[in-house]
Amino acid sequence: MEEKLLKDGNISSAYFRLAIPNVLSMVITLVYNLADTYFVAAVGNTDLVAAVSLCAPILTIQMAFGNVFAQGGCSLTSRLLGAARKEDIKHVSAHCIYSGYLTGIILCIFFFLTGKILLPVLGADHDTILFASQYFYWIAAGSPFIVASYVYTNLFRSEGMSREAMLGTGIGAVVNIILDPVFILILEQGAKGAAIATVVGYIVSDIYCTVILIKKSRILSLNPGHIRISGEYEKQILGIGIPAAIMSIVQSLSVILLNQFLLPYGNIEIAAMGIAMKTVSIVNLVLIGLAYGGQPLFGYFFGARDRKKLKELTRFNVRISAGTAVILSGIVFAAAVPLIRFFMDDPQVVQSGSLMLRLQVVTMTFAGIVLLLTLIFQSAGKIGISFLLSVSRQGFIFFLVLFASSRLWGYYGVLLSQAIADVLSFILAVILFYRCIYLKWK
């Protein structure tokens, strides 16, 4: 990271230099995610689309386990950089990267051993089980590479190499997009082809990141001799990383639960929700990029105990995140019908999916602020509160709202549950931030 920029530079300039490549990286990730949906939907089989949508939580679980060492490592590395402890960063980075690969191997074995149990839990029925299993097992096989990719890119961001992180994601996305039509449409491999293209993209991304780390990084390390770290550092990595992982796992559980509540209404509704949730990620991933683009700054300033710059950065980031969310949400809300039709021109899917999309996106401004405040607590090393917020919006608050609203309003209650949960989580996050951080800055 360019320390002179952080110490003496303008907050907004420093933020945009880090955030813009990160936002572009999230946009690339969006394209990565949408490519499978687009080419699978081009086959015209709603059961195939539903099957791939049902397996979406598996990718989220892989991301979750990657985030243990990705976000935990990024938060600690940024604070160590602010405290000028660069030798310790070598140990932390090597530990996180190798732990990411090992975690992916364990996850791969787990998926293969439990696949027959997990697929029905995900919502696969007799119409979708064959397609879902084809996608599931190939994605499971790629777990080590998928998990490690999140570790690489987050550690790059902690050093200020947002551009390199973006390119790492981008190269994988390009490979995926090129291979998708080849495997899905030309070779007619369907769900299996979509999964293979995705895994190959992650492998190429990991290779690129490994080369860049060795050649360009000044503080990160792949030396096996640096793997060992102190118990205190392990505690800090896991203390931040596990809540971040739980947030992703809880997100997967929320998708699984949502699909179970939609299952009585038919696979078309599940397919429509899958497309709607992929589309709403247009807004969500941009907000993630804006929030996490500022994480190295938050971590650095917390490490340097610079309250003035922390306050300035927080106010600036809230304005940017909220403004962007309002604009993007408005565009997606207005263009809901053509956006759903872009993926699948089925009248029932378009009708259901456009309603689902509008109800998902209408409260994304609240969701963006919750994400930002959660990240600030992570950067401050406040483990308990970051954990609580991590499991609120798509965790315990969402679960309670889903059960209550589905009983009160049936099908429409299921669709409204996320919007209600977003508002309630926002209220909780603002109260905690004001009491636990903002008052201490005065």
Side-chain angles (χ1 to χ4, degrees), residues 120-436:
V121 172
L122 292 170
D125 60 15
H126 64 281
D127 293 322
T128 58
I129 189 71
L130 177 61
F131 299 131
S133 62
Q134 291 173 347
Y135 191 85
F136 175 90
Y137 286 110
W138 278 98
I139 288 295
S143 294
F145 308 103
I146 296 171
V147 170
S149 70
Y150 291 104
V151 183
Y152 275 119
T153 53
N154 274 269
L155 288 175
F156 281 0
R157 288 193 299 104
S158 72
E159 189 180 350
M161 295 198 302
S162 293
R163 178 176 174 273
E164 286 75 12
M166 176 192 70
L167 290 174
T169 304
I171 288 172
V174 170
V175 171
N176 183 33
I177 293 168
I178 292 173
L179 293 181
D180 261 337
V182 174
F183 283 115
I184 297 171
L185 302 178
I186 298 175
L187 299 179
E188 298 182 350
Q189 293 296 301
K192 174 183 173 182
I196 293 173
T198 297
V199 171
V200 173
Y202 276 108
I203 293 172
V204 172
S205 177
D206 284 355
I207 293 171
Y208 168 84
C209 288
T210 300
V211 172
I212 290 298
L213 188 149
I214 294 171
K215 288 189 173 182
K216 294 191 66 174
S217 176
R218 297 178 181 179
I219 58 174
L220 305 178
S221 173
L222 271 173
N223 185 344
H226 288 148
I227 289 178
R228 287 194 174 187
I229 60 174
S230 68
E232 178 58 30
Y233 283 167
E234 188 74 71
K235 178 182 176 182
Q236 291 186 48
I237 291 171
L238 297 179
I240 295 299
I242 289 177
I246 289 175
M247 178 171 64
S248 297
I249 292 173
V250 166
Q251 181 181 346
S252 295
L253 292 175
S254 71
V255 173
I256 294 170
L257 192 61
L258 187 61
N259 285 334
Q260 291 292 342
F261 273 74
L262 285 174
L263 193 57
Y265 302 100
N267 285 325
I268 288 180
E269 298 300 320
I270 294 176
M273 179 59 79
I275 293 173
M277 294 185 74
K278 289 275 189 176
T279 308
V280 82
S281 63
I282 295 170
V283 181
N284 191 41
L285 286 174
V286 171
L287 294 179
I288 291 173
L290 289 173
Y292 282 93
Q295 186 180 41
L297 288 168
F298 279 115
Y300 187 92
F301 293 144
F302 272 115
R305 301 182 184 277
D306 193 333
R307 293 185 178 181
K308 180 181 177 182
K309 287 189 175 180
L310 280 169
K311 289 173 69 175
E312 184 181 350
L313 177 61
T314 300
R315 287 194 295 265
F316 179 78
N317 213 336
V318 167
R319 289 196 296 268
I320 292 295
S321 294
T324 303
V326 169
I327 294 171
L328 290 181
S329 296
I331 293 172
V332 172
F333 189 94
V337 172
L339 283 171
I340 299 297
R341 186 176 287 124
F342 173 77
F343 291 100
M344 198 164 195
D345 195 9
D346 178 285
Q348 191 171 345
V349 170
V350 172
Q351 181 180 1
S352 297
S354 58
L355 175 61
M356 293 170 177
L357 177 57
R358 284 171 173 154
L359 292 177
Q360 286 279 327
V361 82
V362 72
T363 53
M364 283 303 295
T365 302
F366 298 108
I369 299 300
V370 172
L371 172 66
L372 174 60
L373 297 183
T374 303
L375 179 140
I376 293 174
F377 281 115
Q378 290 176 359
S379 300
K382 293 187 177 294
I383 297 171
I385 298 175
S386 65
F387 173 78
L388 177 64
L389 292 180
S390 295
V391 296
S392 63
R393 176 181 171 253
Q394 290 187 304
F396 67 92
I397 291 179
F398 173 76
F399 297 156
L400 291 174
V401 170
L402 178 60
F403 280 100
S405 60
S406 62
R407 291 202 169 200
L408 289 172
W409 304 301
Y411 172 76
Y412 293 102
V414 175
L415 304 191
L416 280 167
S417 56
Q418 186 62 72
I420 298 171
D422 286 347
V423 176
L424 295 177
S425 300
F426 168 78
I427 294 170
L428 174 64
V430 169
I431 291 172
L432 289 173
F433 175 76
Y434 180 78
R435 294 184 57 139
C436 300

Side-chain angles (χ1 to χ4, degrees), residues 25-105:
S25 179
M26 291 299 106
V27 172
I28 292 168
T29 301
L30 170 65
V31 175
Y32 212 135
N33 293 335
L34 294 182
D36 282 353
T37 303
Y38 176 80
F39 288 110
V40 168
V43 176
N45 186 333
T46 55
D47 287 335
L48 179 58
V49 176
V52 173
S53 298
L54 289 170
C55 291
I58 300 304
L59 284 164
T60 308
I61 290 171
Q62 291 166 326
M63 179 180 70
F65 281 90
N67 280 341
V68 172
F69 301 99
Q71 293 189 28
C74 180
S75 175
L76 177 56
T77 299
S78 298
R79 281 179 277 133
L80 289 173
L81 192 55
R85 304 179 70 171
K86 296 183 180 179
E87 186 61 30
D88 290 354
I89 294 174
K90 294 183 183 297
H91 290 270
V92 169
S93 57
H95 178 81
C96 288
I97 291 169
Y98 287 111
S99 295
Y101 277 113
L102 177 60
T103 301
I105 292 170

